[in-house]
Amino acid sequence: QKEVEQNSGPLSVPEGAIASLNCTYSDRVSQSFFWYRQYSGKSPELIMSIYSNGDKEDGRFTAQLNKASQYVSLLIRDSQPSDSATYLCAVNTGYGQNFVFGPGTRLSVLP
Amino acid sequence: GAVVSQHPSRVICKSGTSVKIECRSLDFQATTMFWYRQFPKQSLMLMATSNEGSKATYEQGVEKDKFLINHASLTLSTLTVTSAHPEDSSFYICSARQQSQETQYFGPGTRLLVL
């Protein structure tokens, strides 16, 4: 059974700190990985995707993928109160397949 | 780019009535659309996957006769909740995916309240 796990949190970090969000997955054939942000009462919005091992940076966000260890993480530098949201990890085993979503990690950035 | 809209954003209906929710991809052709449901403080639950021009594939436990899905064009999918009951009250979110792409783009969601 395909599973994606995340710490539900809440993860609290002070403003300006680095927030580190982790996600592990069980299906070794997983090929693509996505991070979404969901504000309370809103739908998810895409932050970034990552397909290859290593780091991928986009502004204050860095996604890290390690397929051998089956984990993907999201780092948020210089965290802002506006980053407070639930972060969803999604894993895809291949083209044409459906995402498997993790339960999400609730992040709270304290001013 | 990759904008998905949903209509209506909120709907209140009486128990026993049917409600139709529309999901549109505004600037791309969506060969596949997904319908999710999310209860308060819970994660997304995939209800069904629909490919343009074919029947939807429903997840286990989702009644296909209660949640009717139509994906008649590459830019429009509809979800009809038939004979809605209070337990169907939820946040319904669609997402869309382009051909040869893996990324799903989400609509803003429809909040359904059944009285």
Side-chain angles (χ1 to χ4, degrees):
Chain A
Q1 185 176 353
K2 303 174 186 177
E3 285 188 359
V4 177
E5 296 184 353
Q6 295 180 256
N7 189 325
S8 61
L11 172 66
S12 295
V13 299
E15 184 174 356
I18 296 175
S20 177
L21 305 162
N22 299 314
C23 171
T24 59
Y25 58 94
S26 61
D27 195 334
R28 285 193 169 275
V29 301
S30 299
Q31 296 182 10
S32 49
F33 308 85
F34 303 81
W35 282 100
Y36 288 84
R37 176 176 61 196
Q38 185 175 24
Y39 290 112
S40 181
K42 303 293 185 182
S43 67
E45 54 180 327
L46 179 69
I47 297 175
M48 61 194 307
S49 59
I50 186 167
Y51 302 89
S52 304
N53 280 327
D55 295 0
K56 180 181 178 182
E57 188 174 317
D58 183 0
R60 295 188 295 114
F61 299 99
T62 299
Q64 299 175 318
L65 175 60
N66 184 323
K67 291 185 178 181
S69 300
Q70 294 177 239
Y71 84 78
V72 55
S73 62
L74 180 69
L75 301 179
I76 307 175
R77 289 183 299 281
D78 188 25
S79 296
Q80 301 297 309
S82 58
D83 294 325
S84 298
T86 296
Y87 289 80
L88 300 169
C89 170
V91 175
N92 196 357
T93 55
Y95 174 71
Q97 301 300 310
N98 296 339
F99 281 2
V100 179
F101 278 94
T105 297
R106 190 156 57 91
L107 172 67
S108 178
V109 180
L110 307 174
Chain B
V3 178
V4 178
S5 70
Q6 271 184 254
H7 178 80
S9 57
R10 291 178 179 271
V11 58
I12 301 174
C13 69
K14 292 182 179 180
S15 186
T17 60
S18 294
V19 174
K20 180 185 281 190
I21 302 170
E22 292 187 348
C23 176
R24 293 182 185 272
S25 56
L26 299 184
D27 53 1
F28 66 99
Q29 293 187 327
T31 50
T32 306
M33 286 185 169
F34 304 85
W35 288 96
Y36 294 85
R37 180 167 54 180
Q38 188 174 38
F39 293 105
K41 299 191 185 302
Q42 295 188 23
S43 188
L44 291 171
M45 286 176 40
L46 179 64
M47 299 176 68
T49 303
S50 74
N51 292 295
E52 185 265 339
S54 59
K55 289 185 178 180
T57 301
Y58 291 81
E59 295 298 300
Q60 191 172 8
V62 178
E63 300 175 57
K64 63 179 181 180
D65 294 331
K66 179 170 180 64
F67 299 99
L68 302 178
I69 292 172
N70 184 281
H71 190 168
S73 78
L74 286 171
T75 59
L76 173 65
S77 176
T78 60
L79 167 68
T80 301
V81 183
T82 62
S83 187
H85 289 94
E87 57 266 29
D88 298 322
S89 299
S90 188
F91 191 36
Y92 291 86
I93 313 171
C94 73
S95 71
R97 183 176 72 193
Q98 287 179 277
Q99 189 174 17
S100 303
Q101 302 273 334
E102 295 186 46
T103 304
Q104 290 185 31
Y105 297 96
F106 285 86
T110 296
R111 201 162 295 281
L112 171 64
L113 177 61
V114 184
L115 302 177

PDB file of all heavy atoms in Angstrom, chain B residues 39-72:
ATOM      1  N   PHE B  39     -12.891  17.207   4.953  1.00  0.00           N
ATOM      2  CA  PHE B  39     -13.653  17.555   6.153  1.00  0.00           C
ATOM      3  C   PHE B  39     -12.759  18.405   7.051  1.00  0.00           C
ATOM      4  O   PHE B  39     -11.527  18.358   6.931  1.00  0.00           O
ATOM      5  CB  PHE B  39     -14.139  16.295   6.856  1.00  0.00           C
ATOM      6  CG  PHE B  39     -15.169  15.536   6.072  1.00  0.00           C
ATOM      7  CD1 PHE B  39     -14.840  14.355   5.419  1.00  0.00           C
ATOM      8  CD2 PHE B  39     -16.469  16.014   5.954  1.00  0.00           C
ATOM      9  CE1 PHE B  39     -15.786  13.657   4.681  1.00  0.00           C
ATOM     10  CE2 PHE B  39     -17.419  15.325   5.222  1.00  0.00           C
ATOM     11  CZ  PHE B  39     -17.074  14.145   4.570  1.00  0.00           C
ATOM     12  N   PRO B  40     -13.373  19.175   7.953  1.00  0.00           N
ATOM     13  CA  PRO B  40     -12.598  20.086   8.806  1.00  0.00           C
ATOM     14  C   PRO B  40     -11.456  19.375   9.531  1.00  0.00           C
ATOM     15  O   PRO B  40     -11.635  18.301  10.089  1.00  0.00           O
ATOM     16  CB  PRO B  40     -13.633  20.623   9.787  1.00  0.00           C
ATOM     17  CG  PRO B  40     -14.920  20.553   9.042  1.00  0.00           C
ATOM     18  CD  PRO B  40     -14.820  19.299   8.209  1.00  0.00           C
ATOM     19  N   LYS B  41     -10.296  19.988   9.448  1.00  0.00           N
ATOM     20  CA  LYS B  41      -9.083  19.527  10.129  1.00  0.00           C
ATOM     21  C   LYS B  41      -8.639  18.130   9.677  1.00  0.00           C
ATOM     22  O   LYS B  41      -7.880  17.462  10.380  1.00  0.00           O
ATOM     23  CB  LYS B  41      -9.272  19.532  11.652  1.00  0.00           C
ATOM     24  CG  LYS B  41      -9.565  20.922  12.196  1.00  0.00           C
ATOM     25  CD  LYS B  41      -9.482  20.961  13.694  1.00  0.00           C
ATOM     26  CE  LYS B  41      -9.887  22.322  14.253  1.00  0.00           C
ATOM     27  NZ  LYS B  41      -9.058  23.409  13.729  1.00  0.00           N
ATOM     28  N   GLN B  42      -9.082  17.712   8.503  1.00  0.00           N
ATOM     29  CA  GLN B  42      -8.646  16.428   7.968  1.00  0.00           C
ATOM     30  C   GLN B  42      -7.942  16.645   6.639  1.00  0.00           C
ATOM     31  O   GLN B  42      -7.972  17.726   6.063  1.00  0.00           O
ATOM     32  CB  GLN B  42      -9.834  15.478   7.798  1.00  0.00           C
ATOM     33  CG  GLN B  42     -10.485  15.083   9.114  1.00  0.00           C
ATOM     34  CD  GLN B  42     -11.530  14.002   8.942  1.00  0.00           C
ATOM     35  OE1 GLN B  42     -11.520  13.252   7.977  1.00  0.00           O
ATOM     36  NE2 GLN B  42     -12.427  13.905   9.905  1.00  0.00           N
ATOM     37  N   SER B  43      -7.296  15.583   6.171  1.00  0.00           N
ATOM     38  CA  SER B  43      -6.539  15.705   4.938  1.00  0.00           C
ATOM     39  C   SER B  43      -7.457  15.562   3.736  1.00  0.00           C
ATOM     40  O   SER B  43      -8.629  15.226   3.850  1.00  0.00           O
ATOM     41  CB  SER B  43      -5.448  14.629   4.898  1.00  0.00           C
ATOM     42  OG  SER B  43      -4.591  14.837   3.820  1.00  0.00           O
ATOM     43  N   LEU B  44      -6.889  15.831   2.584  1.00  0.00           N
ATOM     44  CA  LEU B  44      -7.619  15.644   1.327  1.00  0.00           C
ATOM     45  C   LEU B  44      -7.950  14.179   1.128  1.00  0.00           C
ATOM     46  O   LEU B  44      -7.122  13.314   1.361  1.00  0.00           O
ATOM     47  CB  LEU B  44      -6.760  16.105   0.159  1.00  0.00           C
ATOM     48  CG  LEU B  44      -6.474  17.578  -0.003  1.00  0.00           C
ATOM     49  CD1 LEU B  44      -5.441  17.775  -1.087  1.00  0.00           C
ATOM     50  CD2 LEU B  44      -7.733  18.338  -0.324  1.00  0.00           C
ATOM     51  N   MET B  45      -9.154  13.932   0.649  1.00  0.00           N
ATOM     52  CA  MET B  45      -9.538  12.572   0.293  1.00  0.00           C
ATOM     53  C   MET B  45      -9.933  12.548  -1.168  1.00  0.00           C
ATOM     54  O   MET B  45     -10.865  13.238  -1.573  1.00  0.00           O
ATOM     55  CB  MET B  45     -10.717  12.098   1.134  1.00  0.00           C
ATOM     56  CG  MET B  45     -10.382  11.763   2.566  1.00  0.00           C
ATOM     57  SD  MET B  45     -11.858  11.316   3.506  1.00  0.00           S
ATOM     58  CE  MET B  45     -12.781  10.331   2.352  1.00  0.00           C
ATOM     59  N   LEU B  46      -9.221  11.783  -1.968  1.00  0.00           N
ATOM     60  CA  LEU B  46      -9.557  11.654  -3.371  1.00  0.00           C
ATOM     61  C   LEU B  46     -10.860  10.888  -3.511  1.00  0.00           C
ATOM     62  O   LEU B  46     -11.010   9.799  -2.953  1.00  0.00           O
ATOM     63  CB  LEU B  46      -8.443  10.931  -4.133  1.00  0.00           C
ATOM     64  CG  LEU B  46      -8.664  10.711  -5.622  1.00  0.00           C
ATOM     65  CD1 LEU B  46      -8.731  12.038  -6.371  1.00  0.00           C
ATOM     66  CD2 LEU B  46      -7.558   9.830  -6.210  1.00  0.00           C
ATOM     67  N   MET B  47     -11.795  11.488  -4.249  1.00  0.00           N
ATOM     68  CA  MET B  47     -13.073  10.825  -4.481  1.00  0.00           C
ATOM     69  C   MET B  47     -13.050  10.073  -5.801  1.00  0.00           C
ATOM     70  O   MET B  47     -13.505   8.930  -5.882  1.00  0.00           O
ATOM     71  CB  MET B  47     -14.198  11.854  -4.515  1.00  0.00           C
ATOM     72  CG  MET B  47     -14.388  12.642  -3.234  1.00  0.00           C
ATOM     73  SD  MET B  47     -15.646  13.904  -3.427  1.00  0.00           S
ATOM     74  CE  MET B  47     -17.109  12.900  -3.615  1.00  0.00           C
ATOM     75  N   ALA B  48     -12.583  10.746  -6.848  1.00  0.00           N
ATOM     76  CA  ALA B  48     -12.637  10.137  -8.166  1.00  0.00           C
ATOM     77  C   ALA B  48     -11.688  10.849  -9.112  1.00  0.00           C
ATOM     78  O   ALA B  48     -11.299  11.996  -8.884  1.00  0.00           O
ATOM     79  CB  ALA B  48     -14.061  10.192  -8.714  1.00  0.00           C
ATOM     80  N   THR B  49     -11.348  10.129 -10.162  1.00  0.00           N
ATOM     81  CA  THR B  49     -10.499  10.647 -11.231  1.00  0.00           C
ATOM     82  C   THR B  49     -11.301  10.586 -12.520  1.00  0.00           C
ATOM     83  O   THR B  49     -11.916   9.555 -12.815  1.00  0.00           O
ATOM     84  CB  THR B  49      -9.244   9.778 -11.381  1.00  0.00           C
ATOM     85  OG1 THR B  49      -8.553   9.741 -10.136  1.00  0.00           O
ATOM     86  CG2 THR B  49      -8.331  10.324 -12.460  1.00  0.00           C
ATOM     87  N   SER B  50     -11.299  11.687 -13.254  1.00  0.00           N
ATOM     88  CA  SER B  50     -12.037  11.649 -14.508  1.00  0.00           C
ATOM     89  C   SER B  50     -11.146  12.051 -15.667  1.00  0.00           C
ATOM     90  O   SER B  50     -10.384  13.007 -15.576  1.00  0.00           O
ATOM     91  CB  SER B  50     -13.262  12.569 -14.443  1.00  0.00           C
ATOM     92  OG  SER B  50     -12.904  13.926 -14.516  1.00  0.00           O
ATOM     93  N   ASN B  51     -11.220  11.285 -16.707  1.00  0.00           N
ATOM     94  CA  ASN B  51     -10.518  11.587 -17.947  1.00  0.00           C
ATOM     95  C   ASN B  51     -11.527  12.034 -18.986  1.00  0.00           C
ATOM     96  O   ASN B  51     -12.621  11.480 -19.069  1.00  0.00           O
ATOM     97  CB  ASN B  51      -9.756  10.358 -18.445  1.00  0.00           C
ATOM     98  CG  ASN B  51      -8.605   9.997 -17.536  1.00  0.00           C
ATOM     99  OD1 ASN B  51      -7.646  10.749 -17.404  1.00  0.00           O
ATOM    100  ND2 ASN B  51      -8.693   8.854 -16.896  1.00  0.00           N
ATOM    101  N   GLU B  52     -11.146  13.029 -19.736  1.00  0.00           N
ATOM    102  CA  GLU B  52     -12.059  13.604 -20.713  1.00  0.00           C
ATOM    103  C   GLU B  52     -12.613  12.537 -21.642  1.00  0.00           C
ATOM    104  O   GLU B  52     -11.854  11.750 -22.206  1.00  0.00           O
ATOM    105  CB  GLU B  52     -11.337  14.697 -21.510  1.00  0.00           C
ATOM    106  CG  GLU B  52     -12.218  15.448 -22.486  1.00  0.00           C
ATOM    107  CD  GLU B  52     -12.158  14.890 -23.879  1.00  0.00           C
ATOM    108  OE1 GLU B  52     -11.175  14.202 -24.217  1.00  0.00           O
ATOM    109  OE2 GLU B  52     -13.095  15.145 -24.653  1.00  0.00           O
ATOM    110  N   GLY B  53     -13.937  12.520 -21.721  1.00  0.00           N
ATOM    111  CA  GLY B  53     -14.596  11.617 -22.642  1.00  0.00           C
ATOM    112  C   GLY B  53     -14.807  10.206 -22.146  1.00  0.00           C
ATOM    113  O   GLY B  53     -15.358   9.381 -22.875  1.00  0.00           O
ATOM    114  N   SER B  54     -14.384   9.908 -20.933  1.00  0.00           N
ATOM    115  CA  SER B  54     -14.602   8.554 -20.428  1.00  0.00           C
ATOM    116  C   SER B  54     -15.199   8.603 -19.023  1.00  0.00           C
ATOM    117  O   SER B  54     -15.282   9.654 -18.401  1.00  0.00           O
ATOM    118  CB  SER B  54     -13.293   7.762 -20.428  1.00  0.00           C
ATOM    119  OG  SER B  54     -12.327   8.398 -19.638  1.00  0.00           O
ATOM    120  N   LYS B  55     -15.608   7.449 -18.564  1.00  0.00           N
ATOM    121  CA  LYS B  55     -16.239   7.378 -17.243  1.00  0.00           C
ATOM    122  C   LYS B  55     -15.211   7.629 -16.143  1.00  0.00           C
ATOM    123  O   LYS B  55     -14.044   7.255 -16.273  1.00  0.00           O
ATOM    124  CB  LYS B  55     -16.880   6.006 -17.038  1.00  0.00           C
ATOM    125  CG  LYS B  55     -18.115   5.765 -17.879  1.00  0.00           C
ATOM    126  CD  LYS B  55     -18.749   4.429 -17.532  1.00  0.00           C
ATOM    127  CE  LYS B  55     -20.014   4.205 -18.344  1.00  0.00           C
ATOM    128  NZ  LYS B  55     -20.653   2.895 -18.026  1.00  0.00           N
ATOM    129  N   ALA B  56     -15.693   8.197 -15.072  1.00  0.00           N
ATOM    130  CA  ALA B  56     -14.804   8.478 -13.943  1.00  0.00           C
ATOM    131  C   ALA B  56     -14.455   7.188 -13.207  1.00  0.00           C
ATOM    132  O   ALA B  56     -15.230   6.228 -13.193  1.00  0.00           O
ATOM    133  CB  ALA B  56     -15.477   9.466 -12.985  1.00  0.00           C
ATOM    134  N   THR B  57     -13.299   7.208 -12.598  1.00  0.00           N
ATOM    135  CA  THR B  57     -12.875   6.111 -11.743  1.00  0.00           C
ATOM    136  C   THR B  57     -13.010   6.550 -10.303  1.00  0.00           C
ATOM    137  O   THR B  57     -12.386   7.530  -9.886  1.00  0.00           O
ATOM    138  CB  THR B  57     -11.396   5.743 -12.023  1.00  0.00           C
ATOM    139  OG1 THR B  57     -11.261   5.380 -13.399  1.00  0.00           O
ATOM    140  CG2 THR B  57     -10.967   4.583 -11.140  1.00  0.00           C
ATOM    141  N   TYR B  58     -13.830   5.843  -9.559  1.00  0.00           N
ATOM    142  CA  TYR B  58     -14.122   6.231  -8.181  1.00  0.00           C
ATOM    143  C   TYR B  58     -13.237   5.479  -7.196  1.00  0.00           C
ATOM    144  O   TYR B  58     -12.916   4.310  -7.390  1.00  0.00           O
ATOM    145  CB  TYR B  58     -15.594   5.956  -7.862  1.00  0.00           C
ATOM    146  CG  TYR B  58     -16.545   6.863  -8.593  1.00  0.00           C
ATOM    147  CD1 TYR B  58     -16.903   6.615  -9.913  1.00  0.00           C
ATOM    148  CD2 TYR B  58     -17.077   7.982  -7.970  1.00  0.00           C
ATOM    149  CE1 TYR B  58     -17.762   7.465 -10.597  1.00  0.00           C
ATOM    150  CE2 TYR B  58     -17.949   8.833  -8.631  1.00  0.00           C
ATOM    151  CZ  TYR B  58     -18.289   8.561  -9.940  1.00  0.00           C
ATOM    152  OH  TYR B  58     -19.138   9.397 -10.610  1.00  0.00           O
ATOM    153  N   GLU B  59     -12.890   6.157  -6.133  1.00  0.00           N
ATOM    154  CA  GLU B  59     -12.124   5.521  -5.072  1.00  0.00           C
ATOM    155  C   GLU B  59     -13.048   4.619  -4.252  1.00  0.00           C
ATOM    156  O   GLU B  59     -14.274   4.785  -4.233  1.00  0.00           O
ATOM    157  CB  GLU B  59     -11.485   6.579  -4.165  1.00  0.00           C
ATOM    158  CG  GLU B  59     -10.450   7.424  -4.869  1.00  0.00           C
ATOM    159  CD  GLU B  59      -9.279   6.608  -5.374  1.00  0.00           C
ATOM    160  OE1 GLU B  59      -8.588   5.962  -4.555  1.00  0.00           O
ATOM    161  OE2 GLU B  59      -9.045   6.612  -6.606  1.00  0.00           O
ATOM    162  N   GLN B  60     -12.423   3.681  -3.596  1.00  0.00           N
ATOM    163  CA  GLN B  60     -13.184   2.745  -2.791  1.00  0.00           C
ATOM    164  C   GLN B  60     -13.989   3.491  -1.739  1.00  0.00           C
ATOM    165  O   GLN B  60     -13.476   4.380  -1.058  1.00  0.00           O
ATOM    166  CB  GLN B  60     -12.219   1.770  -2.102  1.00  0.00           C
ATOM    167  CG  GLN B  60     -12.897   0.584  -1.457  1.00  0.00           C
ATOM    168  CD  GLN B  60     -11.887  -0.442  -0.962  1.00  0.00           C
ATOM    169  OE1 GLN B  60     -10.682  -0.207  -0.962  1.00  0.00           O
ATOM    170  NE2 GLN B  60     -12.374  -1.581  -0.538  1.00  0.00           N
ATOM    171  N   GLY B  61     -15.245   3.118  -1.620  1.00  0.00           N
ATOM    172  CA  GLY B  61     -16.108   3.727  -0.627  1.00  0.00           C
ATOM    173  C   GLY B  61     -16.866   4.944  -1.110  1.00  0.00           C
ATOM    174  O   GLY B  61     -17.723   5.463  -0.381  1.00  0.00           O
ATOM    175  N   VAL B  62     -16.578   5.414  -2.300  1.00  0.00           N
ATOM    176  CA  VAL B  62     -17.289   6.566  -2.857  1.00  0.00           C
ATOM    177  C   VAL B  62     -18.380   6.055  -3.779  1.00  0.00           C
ATOM    178  O   VAL B  62     -18.113   5.320  -4.734  1.00  0.00           O
ATOM    179  CB  VAL B  62     -16.332   7.490  -3.629  1.00  0.00           C
ATOM    180  CG1 VAL B  62     -17.100   8.664  -4.236  1.00  0.00           C
ATOM    181  CG2 VAL B  62     -15.227   7.992  -2.722  1.00  0.00           C
ATOM    182  N   GLU B  63     -19.615   6.445  -3.494  1.00  0.00           N
ATOM    183  CA  GLU B  63     -20.757   5.944  -4.265  1.00  0.00           C
ATOM    184  C   GLU B  63     -20.868   6.675  -5.593  1.00  0.00           C
ATOM    185  O   GLU B  63     -21.149   7.882  -5.635  1.00  0.00           O
ATOM    186  CB  GLU B  63     -22.039   6.149  -3.476  1.00  0.00           C
ATOM    187  CG  GLU B  63     -22.086   5.437  -2.132  1.00  0.00           C
ATOM    188  CD  GLU B  63     -23.339   5.813  -1.373  1.00  0.00           C
ATOM    189  OE1 GLU B  63     -24.440   5.617  -1.924  1.00  0.00           O
ATOM    190  OE2 GLU B  63     -23.216   6.312  -0.242  1.00  0.00           O
ATOM    191  N   LYS B  64     -20.702   5.965  -6.674  1.00  0.00           N
ATOM    192  CA  LYS B  64     -20.739   6.606  -7.993  1.00  0.00           C
ATOM    193  C   LYS B  64     -22.122   7.098  -8.363  1.00  0.00           C
ATOM    194  O   LYS B  64     -22.263   8.033  -9.153  1.00  0.00           O
ATOM    195  CB  LYS B  64     -20.207   5.659  -9.060  1.00  0.00           C
ATOM    196  CG  LYS B  64     -21.026   4.404  -9.250  1.00  0.00           C
ATOM    197  CD  LYS B  64     -20.430   3.541 -10.356  1.00  0.00           C
ATOM    198  CE  LYS B  64     -21.254   2.289 -10.577  1.00  0.00           C
ATOM    199  NZ  LYS B  64     -20.681   1.432 -11.660  1.00  0.00           N
ATOM    200  N   ASP B  65     -23.163   6.469  -7.808  1.00  0.00           N
ATOM    201  CA  ASP B  65     -24.515   6.920  -8.125  1.00  0.00           C
ATOM    202  C   ASP B  65     -24.909   8.147  -7.320  1.00  0.00           C
ATOM    203  O   ASP B  65     -25.881   8.823  -7.647  1.00  0.00           O
ATOM    204  CB  ASP B  65     -25.513   5.792  -7.853  1.00  0.00           C
ATOM    205  CG  ASP B  65     -25.311   4.623  -8.791  1.00  0.00           C
ATOM    206  OD1 ASP B  65     -24.849   4.849  -9.935  1.00  0.00           O
ATOM    207  OD2 ASP B  65     -25.588   3.476  -8.390  1.00  0.00           O
ATOM    208  N   LYS B  66     -24.172   8.408  -6.275  1.00  0.00           N
ATOM    209  CA  LYS B  66     -24.468   9.593  -5.460  1.00  0.00           C
ATOM    210  C   LYS B  66     -23.633  10.788  -5.926  1.00  0.00           C
ATOM    211  O   LYS B  66     -24.102  11.919  -5.917  1.00  0.00           O
ATOM    212  CB  LYS B  66     -24.166   9.300  -3.998  1.00  0.00           C
ATOM    213  CG  LYS B  66     -24.434  10.493  -3.091  1.00  0.00           C
ATOM    214  CD  LYS B  66     -24.358  10.105  -1.646  1.00  0.00           C
ATOM    215  CE  LYS B  66     -24.644  11.335  -0.781  1.00  0.00           C
ATOM    216  NZ  LYS B  66     -26.022  11.821  -0.991  1.00  0.00           N
ATOM    217  N   PHE B  67     -22.425  10.518  -6.318  1.00  0.00           N
ATOM    218  CA  PHE B  67     -21.519  11.576  -6.779  1.00  0.00           C
ATOM    219  C   PHE B  67     -21.277  11.370  -8.275  1.00  0.00           C
ATOM    220  O   PHE B  67     -20.387  10.621  -8.677  1.00  0.00           O
ATOM    221  CB  PHE B  67     -20.210  11.534  -5.998  1.00  0.00           C
ATOM    222  CG  PHE B  67     -20.370  11.748  -4.519  1.00  0.00           C
ATOM    223  CD1 PHE B  67     -20.399  10.676  -3.643  1.00  0.00           C
ATOM    224  CD2 PHE B  67     -20.519  13.029  -4.008  1.00  0.00           C
ATOM    225  CE1 PHE B  67     -20.553  10.878  -2.272  1.00  0.00           C
ATOM    226  CE2 PHE B  67     -20.682  13.249  -2.646  1.00  0.00           C
ATOM    227  CZ  PHE B  67     -20.697  12.168  -1.775  1.00  0.00           C
ATOM    228  N   LEU B  68     -22.076  12.062  -9.064  1.00  0.00           N
ATOM    229  CA  LEU B  68     -22.017  11.905 -10.510  1.00  0.00           C
ATOM    230  C   LEU B  68     -20.967  12.851 -11.085  1.00  0.00           C
ATOM    231  O   LEU B  68     -21.017  14.054 -10.847  1.00  0.00           O
ATOM    232  CB  LEU B  68     -23.382  12.194 -11.133  1.00  0.00           C
ATOM    233  CG  LEU B  68     -24.544  11.334 -10.632  1.00  0.00           C
ATOM    234  CD1 LEU B  68     -25.838  11.762 -11.303  1.00  0.00           C
ATOM    235  CD2 LEU B  68     -24.270   9.863 -10.874  1.00  0.00           C
ATOM    236  N   ILE B  69     -20.065  12.296 -11.850  1.00  0.00           N
ATOM    237  CA  ILE B  69     -18.996  13.096 -12.426  1.00  0.00           C
ATOM    238  C   ILE B  69     -19.070  13.028 -13.941  1.00  0.00           C
ATOM    239  O   ILE B  69     -19.194  11.953 -14.520  1.00  0.00           O
ATOM    240  CB  ILE B  69     -17.626  12.619 -11.929  1.00  0.00           C
ATOM    241  CG1 ILE B  69     -17.484  12.919 -10.435  1.00  0.00           C
ATOM    242  CG2 ILE B  69     -16.492  13.265 -12.720  1.00  0.00           C
ATOM    243  CD1 ILE B  69     -16.260  12.324  -9.791  1.00  0.00           C
ATOM    244  N   ASN B  70     -18.987  14.197 -14.543  1.00  0.00           N
ATOM    245  CA  ASN B  70     -18.987  14.302 -15.997  1.00  0.00           C
ATOM    246  C   ASN B  70     -17.793  15.133 -16.427  1.00  0.00           C
ATOM    247  O   ASN B  70     -17.540  16.204 -15.877  1.00  0.00           O
ATOM    248  CB  ASN B  70     -20.302  14.951 -16.466  1.00  0.00           C
ATOM    249  CG  ASN B  70     -20.389  15.001 -17.971  1.00  0.00           C
ATOM    250  OD1 ASN B  70     -19.798  15.854 -18.612  1.00  0.00           O
ATOM    251  ND2 ASN B  70     -21.111  14.061 -18.541  1.00  0.00           N
ATOM    252  N   HIS B  71     -17.063  14.653 -17.407  1.00  0.00           N
ATOM    253  CA  HIS B  71     -15.893  15.380 -17.914  1.00  0.00           C
ATOM    254  C   HIS B  71     -16.029  15.423 -19.428  1.00  0.00           C
ATOM    255  O   HIS B  71     -15.327  14.716 -20.147  1.00  0.00           O
ATOM    256  CB  HIS B  71     -14.622  14.632 -17.477  1.00  0.00           C
ATOM    257  CG  HIS B  71     -13.362  15.388 -17.715  1.00  0.00           C
ATOM    258  ND1 HIS B  71     -12.158  14.986 -17.176  1.00  0.00           N
ATOM    259  CD2 HIS B  71     -13.080  16.495 -18.408  1.00  0.00           C
ATOM    260  CE1 HIS B  71     -11.195  15.819 -17.542  1.00  0.00           C
ATOM    261  NE2 HIS B  71     -11.739  16.742 -18.286  1.00  0.00           N
ATOM    262  N   ALA B  72     -16.959  16.236 -19.867  1.00  0.00           N
ATOM    263  CA  ALA B  72     -17.364  16.225 -21.271  1.00  0.00           C
ATOM    264  C   ALA B  72     -16.417  16.978 -22.186  1.00  0.00           C
ATOM    265  O   ALA B  72     -16.429  16.767 -23.403  1.00  0.00           O
ATOM    266  CB  ALA B  72     -18.770  16.801 -21.398  1.00  0.00           C
TER     267      ALA B  72
END
